[in-house]
Amino acid sequence: LQFFLDILKKLATETDGDLSLNQLSSALVTTVANSMQSGGVYLLLLSPLTGDYITTAFCGRKGESDISFPAEGTLATTLKYLGRIVDSVDMEEMPSLNSMNPLEKTVFSENEIDLIIPLKHENILSGVLLLSKKSSGESYANEDRQLLQSVSPDIASRIENASRLENIKKEHSELQKTMEGIIYAVSAVVESRDPYTAGHQRRVAELAKAIAREMGLSEWHQKGVHIIGLLHDVGKIAVPAEILSKPGKISQYEFDIIKNHSRIGFEILEKIDFPWKVSEAILQHHERYNGSGYPQGLSKNEII
């Protein structure tokens, strides 16, 4: 038993900070179930969608009904106020808990819940651990309760950190999708003004990414090259449509106007803080290795 108790302490204090919320939840209920020899262990966390504490992970026996209770209900309010472990005796004797609605009481009795451990972090009820009766039928000893009580703040802290990290990752993913959507929209607008080169930016982006992959560049750099490809002709937005779509040969004057698109593209995007050198690459995308390109006549390693 002491071996599993030590594991529980380590879980609370030494868990890798990069562990996802799902991984942490699964590890927690498994460790508690093994260390306490519980018939079932349930971790309930607050759902941002429903506003209830819902079962996020469990180990062992599970009843037909999922366990949940409202964040503003009797049980959550009592746990926030008490800040200590509640057992089945408390459920019967404490007036606040005895007044729980019959449906909640039935779910708890069906799953033979014997201990309720509030996981509080900075006066916030981060989650709740529910322990069914022991597999052996024995009662939980005082040292079991003391251990669970002592590690609960650290476990709550880990849950809060993992939850915040997950929210940050979700927000980052949503922002990235938004950014990519805007990039594709801008690219489509530019290409709609130049029917002769429709699909050109997309094809350049795909070819550039394929070359970057063949060169062994990281996925991060491949993504940057792809985005640069999609945006490299954004400066054509300032070129008159009659020049872009003019059939036949264009004059030197008209060509000079078209050549200015790389500098205009740079000016449009230079204020956006991309994690890659997007605006610089757009400025230089018509430079040539031998120095014969435009607009700066760069050569060799002067070109990024």
Side-chain angles (χ1 to χ4, degrees):
L1 177 62
Q2 186 60 45
F3 172 72
F4 288 115
L5 298 183
D6 291 340
I7 291 177
L8 184 58
K9 289 178 181 178
K10 287 183 178 180
L11 178 70
T13 58
E14 298 179 9
T15 304
D16 185 357
D18 290 333
L19 208 61
S20 72
L21 184 59
N22 284 340
Q23 291 171 321
L24 177 62
S25 301
S26 178
L28 174 62
V29 294
T30 301
T31 303
V32 172
N34 289 335
S35 63
M36 295 294 151
Q37 300 175 347
S38 304
V41 175
Y42 311 81
L43 174 64
L44 280 72
L45 300 179
L46 190 63
S47 167
L49 296 177
T50 65
D52 297 339
Y53 286 94
I54 63 173
T55 302
T56 303
F58 73 93
C59 181
R61 183 180 62 254
K62 187 175 186 289
E64 293 183 5
S65 304
D66 285 332
I67 304 176
S68 66
F69 55 87
E72 303 302 325
T74 302
L75 180 59
T77 303
T78 303
L79 292 175
K80 288 175 188 176
Y81 174 75
L82 283 178
R84 65 167 176 81
I85 292 177
V86 172
D87 59 26
S88 54
V89 176
D90 292 322
M91 297 282 286
E92 294 296 327
E93 294 184 351
M94 291 180 65
S96 61
L97 295 180
N98 201 23
S99 64
M100 287 171 59
N101 70 62
L103 182 60
E104 286 180 329
K105 283 185 175 181
T106 300
V107 172
F108 275 73
S109 61
E110 280 180 358
N111 291 278
E112 298 184 325
I113 302 302
D114 207 24
L115 292 182
I116 304 175
I117 300 100
L119 303 174
K120 291 183 67 176
H121 175 66
E122 296 178 351
N123 293 321
I124 297 172
L125 188 63
S126 303
V128 178
L129 266 178
L130 305 178
L131 274 63
S132 298
K133 294 182 182 298
K134 286 201 173 195
S135 302
S136 63
E138 298 177 13
S139 299
Y140 289 98
N142 284 334
E143 54 262 32
D144 294 337
R145 298 175 184 233
Q146 289 170 4
L147 175 74
L148 290 166
Q149 187 70 51
S150 66
V151 300
S152 64
D154 291 319
I155 291 174
S157 175
R158 290 286 173 180
I159 289 172
E160 279 292 312
N161 289 339
S163 180
R164 286 171 187 164
L165 181 61
E166 198 151 285
N167 288 335
I168 290 170
K169 287 179 177 178
K170 183 180 178 182
E171 290 172 4
H172 174 75
S173 176
E174 290 172 352
L175 285 172
Q176 187 170 346
K177 287 179 182 177
T178 301
M179 180 189 75
E180 290 176 357
I182 292 170
I183 288 169
Y184 275 100
V186 170
S187 178
V189 168
V190 173
E191 291 197 340
S192 70
R193 299 185 71 250
D194 189 358
Y196 289 108
T197 59
H200 165 69
Q201 292 185 117
R202 177 182 50 78
R203 291 192 298 271
V204 165
E206 293 299 329
L207 285 167
K209 184 178 180 181
I211 293 169
R213 183 169 58 246
E214 195 69 22
M215 291 170 64
L217 299 186
S218 68
E219 287 190 17
W220 177 251
H221 284 98
Q222 290 177 39
K223 180 180 282 290
V225 167
H226 186 256
I227 286 173
I228 291 166
L230 287 171
L231 293 174
H232 78 274
D233 271 346
V234 69
K236 283 186 177 179
I237 201 80
V239 178
E242 58 269 22
I243 295 178
L244 286 176
S245 58
K246 179 181 176 180
K249 191 175 182 180
I250 59 174
S251 67
Q252 183 60 47
Y253 170 73
E254 291 168 332
F255 184 47
D256 288 340
I257 292 175
I258 292 175
K259 285 168 66 176
N260 203 36
H261 77 279
S262 57
R263 189 175 295 279
I264 292 170
F266 169 79
E267 291 170 355
I268 290 172
L269 297 174
E270 67 173 329
K271 300 299 183 185
I272 300 177
D273 189 18
F274 287 101
W276 310 278
K277 294 185 177 181
V278 174
S279 57
E280 294 96 322
I282 288 172
L283 177 64
Q284 297 181 12
H285 80 272
H286 276 289
E287 301 289 355
R288 299 288 181 268
Y289 193 72
N290 64 5
S292 64
Y294 63 84
Q296 297 170 293
L298 303 178
S299 64
K300 298 182 181 179
N301 291 337
E302 293 175 326
I303 304 170
I304 65 167

